Amino acid sequence: MLLSTQIGAKNDAAIYAEQRSKFIAAEKALKRGKISQYQALRKELEDYPLYPYLEYRELRYGFSSKKLPRVKKYLETHPDIPISHLLRTAWLNHLAAKKKWGDYLALYTPQSSIKRQCNYLRALINNGQQEKAFKRVAPIWSYGGSRPDDCTPVFKAWRKAGKLTGKL
């Protein structure tokens, strides 16, 4: 019994060593733009424990609207992996820069960043949800300090709608 356990452990170690080597090769292929080589290696690593990190690297670089469904799926599948937050942040920043407000709303979750909060409000405003957005503007407005430039369009729309009152 002990011998079979030792053999199994050696086989596992050999499998992980081979997967680790393929993982490193896949990272290098992706970095060098050798996409077909990367994709072939990636398919062999789907059961590797670090596979989500490899997938992150692919989704993180080279923004493309074709990748967005995969990004959404990744974030749903791996919500607790620390790099998921980094992926969401990078994509939210990209979508805001491109003014892809519908996609921004689809990917948004509550953020600590005022810039991303303002972009969320801007996305709401640009998608016909002004009242929902305007209910959230006052706390950002009344901060008492400067705010990111991304907040300016939100503040302008809020003022234009007559929501800035003397109480604030």
Side-chain angles (χ1 to χ4, degrees), residues 7-67:
I7 292 171
K10 285 183 182 179
N11 286 341
D12 287 347
I15 290 169
Y16 282 131
E18 181 182 347
Q19 286 180 319
R20 194 170 25 256
S21 175
K22 287 180 181 179
F23 180 87
I24 292 167
E27 283 184 314
K28 287 179 183 176
L30 182 62
K31 195 175 199 178
R32 292 181 180 145
K34 297 180 178 181
I35 303 304
S36 58
Q37 181 184 1
Y38 163 76
Q39 289 173 338
L41 288 164
R42 186 185 78 191
K43 285 181 184 177
E44 295 180 45
L45 293 167
E46 288 177 351
D47 294 329
Y48 186 55
L50 296 180
Y51 179 78
Y53 292 86
L54 185 62
E55 193 175 15
Y56 161 81
R57 289 208 169 113
E58 177 186 353
L59 295 172
R60 172 61 182 87
Y61 299 101
F63 298 104
S64 160
S65 59
K66 292 178 184 177
K67 284 186 183 178

Side-chain angles (χ1 to χ4, degrees), residues 78-126:
H78 307 292
D80 299 325
I81 294 177
I83 58 174
S84 291
H85 172 72
L86 298 174
L87 182 63
R88 184 181 307 276
T89 297
W91 272 87
L92 287 173
N93 291 341
H94 169 74
L95 293 169
K98 296 293 183 185
K99 296 181 173 61
K100 302 271 186 174
W101 300 121
D103 291 336
Y104 194 95
L105 289 175
L107 205 60
Y108 185 83
T109 59
Q111 302 281 310
S112 60
S113 161
I114 296 299
K115 175 182 175 175
R116 284 188 293 283
Q117 287 177 37
C118 283
N119 282 323
Y120 170 67
L121 298 177
R122 194 169 174 194
L124 289 172
I125 292 165
N126 282 288

